[in-house]
Amino acid sequence: MKVLLVNGSPHKNGCTHTALEEVAGELNKQGIETEILWCGVKPTMGCIGCGKCKETLQCWYGEDMVNEFLKKVKETDGFVFGTPIHFAGTSGAIKCFMDRAFCSKLSIYANKPAAAIVSCRRGGAQGGFEDMNRYFTIANMPVVSSQYWNEVHGNTPEEVRQDLEGMQTMRQLGRNMAWMLRCIEAGKQAGIAEPEHEPAVKTNFIR
């Protein structure tokens, strides 16, 4: 089993990475393979809603990390997406990344557990945390929780490591993710089918 962790910070080895590493370390202890994918610092184009990816499951704009991520989805069992908090919300990079990763491709994520983690110096964590979870709850993804909201605090990786509650929350998140993945696998082996998904009904309010 494998979990893909996405770092939406412009700092490759900064505070968000520190939190993701803590989650990945616990997943590894639980026998789960992990990979951390960094969005990078090159501009990430936002989704233009063209719908071309509905059939190809790839974004027509292939010059950044989105398509590299999409190629890994099929072989991935669970996801953790991380973002720093910018102006009480997600980073611009992870917002554009997730819009394009999820648009018109929700079915490829169905029944795969996901979690969001946020990193902030002081405040604004909850706005970003809620924004991230909205992607999972529209894609039939079980959301993995922890003992507290999935956030760490600090202005440097060293300060984040001093956030003992935050680090503990990350480790518990890793254990909870591993447990859920094993439960899903055990269910499959026992012959329990995945939930049936009806064809989506689109109801517009103005006709």
Side-chain angles (χ1 to χ4, degrees):
M1 288 179 282
K2 179 178 179 179
V3 171
L4 185 60
L5 303 95
V6 178
N7 178 5
S9 171
H11 304 289
K12 186 175 183 179
N13 297 305
C15 298
T16 304
H17 176 79
T18 302
L20 289 171
E21 268 196 327
E22 197 73 7
V23 180
E26 191 59 41
L27 283 164
N28 295 154
K29 288 180 183 178
Q30 301 291 324
I32 308 295
E33 180 186 352
T34 59
E35 179 183 355
I36 297 179
L37 183 70
W38 179 46
C39 288
V41 292
K42 292 182 179 179
T44 303
M45 190 188 75
C47 181
I48 62 171
C50 67
K52 292 181 180 179
C53 60
K54 188 173 184 178
E55 300 299 328
T56 64
L57 302 181
Q58 292 280 293
C59 182
W60 70 272
Y61 185 81
E63 298 181 7
D64 55 22
M65 296 298 294
V66 176
N67 278 333
E68 182 174 336
F69 166 82
L70 288 170
K71 291 174 184 176
K72 299 174 183 288
V73 170
K74 185 177 180 180
E75 307 303 323
T76 300
D77 301 291
F79 302 89
V80 181
F81 295 89
T83 181
I85 293 300
H86 293 171
F87 294 96
T90 62
S91 73
I94 197 69
K95 170 63 175 170
C96 292
F97 180 97
M98 295 187 73
D99 280 356
R100 284 173 49 217
F102 278 77
C103 181
S104 299
K105 298 176 286 295
L106 300 181
S107 62
I108 65 176
Y109 302 100
N111 306 320
K112 295 189 176 188
I117 66 118
V118 297
S119 169
C120 60
R121 183 190 68 82
R122 183 175 176 86
Q126 289 310 298
F129 186 57
E130 291 166 2
D131 285 345
M132 297 288 280
N133 279 282
R134 291 188 182 101
Y135 292 95
F136 317 144
T137 55
I138 200 175
N140 287 295
M141 303 176 81
V143 179
V144 183
S145 61
S146 187
Q147 65 189 40
Y148 194 79
W149 295 295
N150 304 334
E151 59 190 62
V152 296
H153 293 260
N155 203 38
T156 65
E158 292 73 24
E159 290 181 359
V160 168
R161 294 187 189 100
Q162 293 176 48
D163 178 9
L164 300 184
E165 184 174 3
M167 289 288 96
Q168 188 178 65
T169 300
M170 296 301 109
R171 292 192 297 274
Q172 188 62 50
L173 175 61
R175 288 190 287 271
N176 291 350
M177 172 69 81
W179 174 79
M180 186 176 289
L181 289 172
R182 286 196 292 266
C183 287
I184 292 172
E185 183 62 25
K188 290 178 180 178
Q189 293 177 4
I192 299 174
E194 293 185 350
E196 179 183 351
H197 299 292
E198 299 180 16
V201 176
K202 303 290 187 181
T203 303
N204 299 327
F205 294 104
I206 300 175
R207 297 180 181 274

